[in-house]
Each structure stands twice: as C-alpha cells, then as structure tokens.
Amino acid sequence: MNNPLHPGEIVKDALIDGAKLNVTKAAKKLKVSRTALSRLLNGHTGISPEMAVRLSKLLNTSIEMWINLQAQYDVWQISRTAHKIKIKPLSKAA
C-alpha cells in the first residue's frame, strides 16, 4: 500500500463534500463536538471505535469499514518505522 489517505480525509469526502455539510452541522449530526470532528478531518486524530459507530449510523455503513480503514492506515504508518524497533524473538514459543 502506498501512502493511504488518512481516514479523516475519507470522512471529509463523505460528509463535507458528499453530503454538503459544514463541520458544525456534521458534528451535530454525529453528536460530537466541532473540535473533535475537526481534529479527525484534519488528520490529528484517528477514528475511534465510538466514532466508527457514529459514522456507520449516519452514513449507513458498517462499523468494521471505518475500523478497517483506520487499522490499514495505522499499519502503513508503523511499517515505515518498524525497522527501528529492535526486539529479539523468543527462541521457543511460550
């Protein structure tokens, strides 16, 4: 996977561009603060399980879709620096 979009950009495409909502109205529909939604849309936070539930209800999607988008993004992010984590494997599984 090559530099995936932050999940907040996908949320922005769906709510702001697609549904033509502004951040304040979208936050009200999700029943979250404007700041919380803005932080997600700007890539400062990820999609929490609770936000995944809210998005799935508002956009008629699955919770798993949002969780998977976030997980894929997180895995891509850590894979860029995983080589710096030096762990010696166990010689025998527990």
Side-chain angles (χ1 to χ4, degrees), residues 7-86:
E9 292 184 50
I10 297 165
V11 173
K12 183 179 177 192
D13 286 346
L15 294 179
I16 308 303
D17 301 334
K20 305 294 185 214
L21 298 172
N22 62 35
V23 176
T24 301
K25 288 181 182 177
K28 284 181 183 177
K29 289 192 176 290
L30 287 167
K31 298 185 189 262
V32 297
S33 70
R34 185 187 186 292
T35 302
L37 182 57
S38 180
R39 289 183 50 73
L40 172 62
L41 298 179
N42 291 311
H44 299 295
T45 61
I47 295 176
S48 67
E50 181 180 327
M51 182 60 84
V53 170
R54 293 171 185 277
L55 290 166
S56 71
K57 289 179 179 253
L58 183 63
L59 297 169
N60 196 28
T61 58
S62 71
I63 298 166
E64 293 82 6
M65 182 192 90
W66 298 106
I67 295 295
N68 288 336
L69 281 171
Q70 186 62 53
Q72 289 171 359
Y73 181 80
D74 291 345
V75 167
W76 180 81
Q77 287 286 65
I78 195 61
S79 69
R80 295 170 42 210
T81 58
H83 66 279
K84 294 179 182 177
I85 300 172
K86 305 297 183 196

